[in-house]
């Protein structure tokens, strides 16, 4: 089974900061990696699919990059509504869908 | 606007079967472009994929839950359902239904609001 290791598990940042979250796969997964945002009491929201494609309607301050085993999710300028938990998610042809452990972005 | 809504008992006794239904509105579940799925999230924890289904009835399950899970579809009602047998307290979670974009089990682009199911006697 492919394991997804997301880091950090939490971080503190200020409005306007650049925030970076990483997700590492235990083996090569090409570009099969998505990113979600979840605010308390709400369902997750898809932000990035296929490693770097921005979902329709998602602000351009969100971006993703990477391929193979190492992936990065970036918020270029953190906004008040961005304080949330972010998850990476891998998919493959087994098929299997696996989520990372999550990164909680908190107000500094 | 596509909407998904979970429904079913919120309290299930240990060893019994958890049953939930997802009603899809705003689009036909028979669309050939999408799979549909269930995800759960124990309180304060991360997300876990349970399984997915195509309108034809083709199903795929998380291997860790496969022996206890059945997902079915009722295209006449535009619904799909989840059954999880022999539940324990570890199955207490918010259960979400969602649509998968990409013509395969790729990314969940529309989600229901989720429903908390508690396993307790």
């Amino acid at each position: 089974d492919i394991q997804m290791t997301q880091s950090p598990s939490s971080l503190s940042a200020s409005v306007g900061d650049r925030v970076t979250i990483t997700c590492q796969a235990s083996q090569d997964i090409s570009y099969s990696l998505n990113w979600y945002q979840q605010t308390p009491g709400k369902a997750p929201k898809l932000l990035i699919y296929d490693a770097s494609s921005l979902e329709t309607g998602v602000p351009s301050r969100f971006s993703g990059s990477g391929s193979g085993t190492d992936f990065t999710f970036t918020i270029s300028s953190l906004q008040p509504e961005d304080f949330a938990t972010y998850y990476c998610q891998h998919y493959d042809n087994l098929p299997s869908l696996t989520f990372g452990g999550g990164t909680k972005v908190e107000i500094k | 606007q596509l909407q998904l809504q979970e429904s079913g008992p919120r309290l299930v006794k240990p060893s019994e079967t958890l049953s939930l239904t997802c009603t899809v509105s705003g689009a036909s579940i028979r669309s050939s472009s999408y799979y549909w799925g269930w995800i759960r999230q124990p309180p304060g924890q991360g997300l876990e994929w349970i399984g997915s289904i195509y309108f034809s009835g083709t199903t795929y399950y998380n291997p860790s839950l496969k022996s206890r899970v059945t997902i079915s579809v009722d295209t006449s009602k535009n619904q799909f359902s989840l059954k999880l047998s022999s539940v324990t307290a570890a199955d207490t979670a918010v259960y979400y239904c969602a649509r998968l974009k990409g013509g395969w089990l790729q990314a969940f682009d529309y989600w229901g609001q989720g429903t908390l199911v508690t396993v307790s006697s």
Side-chain angles (χ1 to χ4, degrees):
Chain A
D1 290 0
I2 295 176
Q3 306 300 318
M4 306 303 298
T5 303
Q6 192 174 338
S7 61
S9 58
S10 66
L11 64 90
S12 296
S14 302
V15 173
D17 284 353
R18 182 181 183 86
V19 169
T20 299
I21 298 168
T22 65
C23 194
Q24 186 170 55
S26 58
Q27 58 186 276
D28 190 332
I29 61 169
S30 186
Y31 297 94
S32 304
L33 196 284
N34 309 314
W35 292 95
Y36 299 83
Q37 175 194 64
Q38 186 179 34
T39 54
K42 300 292 187 181
K45 175 186 176 183
L46 178 65
L47 302 179
I48 302 289
Y49 64 95
D50 291 350
S52 61
S53 296
L54 193 67
E55 177 70 351
T56 302
V58 173
S60 59
R61 65 180 181 273
F62 296 101
S63 65
S65 64
S67 65
T69 60
D70 296 303
F71 300 85
T72 300
F73 171 79
T74 300
I75 308 172
S76 60
S77 178
L78 194 66
Q79 298 302 299
E81 60 268 31
D82 300 338
F83 291 97
T85 300
Y86 294 85
Y87 293 93
C88 62
Q89 175 244 313
H90 160 61
Y91 63 95
D92 62 32
N93 291 329
L94 283 175
S96 180
L97 294 91
T98 306
F99 290 91
T103 296
K104 187 174 183 179
V105 176
E106 299 176 299
I107 301 172
K108 183 182 254 183
Chain B
Q1 175 74 0
L2 178 67
Q3 292 186 318
L4 297 90
Q5 178 67 57
E6 304 89 351
S7 60
R10 307 296 177 93
L11 181 64
V12 181
K13 290 182 168 55
S15 79
E16 295 190 346
T17 296
L18 179 159
S19 296
L20 293 172
T21 295
C22 182
T23 301
V24 178
S25 59
S28 172
I29 205 168
R30 294 182 61 87
S31 170
S32 59
S33 300
Y34 304 103
Y35 278 76
W36 306 86
W38 290 96
I39 306 98
R40 70 179 183 178
Q41 184 172 36
Q45 298 185 41
L47 299 159
E48 180 179 36
W49 172 64
I50 299 171
S52 295
I53 191 164
Y54 195 56
F55 77 89
S56 63
T58 299
T59 54
Y60 299 100
Y61 299 130
N62 185 326
S64 69
L65 297 169
K66 186 174 183 177
S67 63
R68 298 194 292 132
V69 173
T70 302
I71 297 175
S72 59
V73 63
D74 186 337
T75 56
S76 67
K77 295 181 179 179
N78 225 35
Q79 295 176 334
F80 60 103
S81 298
L82 167 70
K83 290 188 184 301
L84 181 66
S85 65
S86 304
V87 297
T88 69
D91 295 309
T92 293
V94 175
Y95 285 77
Y96 296 99
C97 61
R99 188 184 79 169
L100 285 147
K101 67 182 283 178
W104 181 233
L105 279 61
Q106 180 185 1
F108 299 101
D109 62 348
Y110 282 90
W111 295 65
Q113 64 185 21
T115 186
L116 175 62
V117 178
T118 301
V119 177
S120 175
S121 56

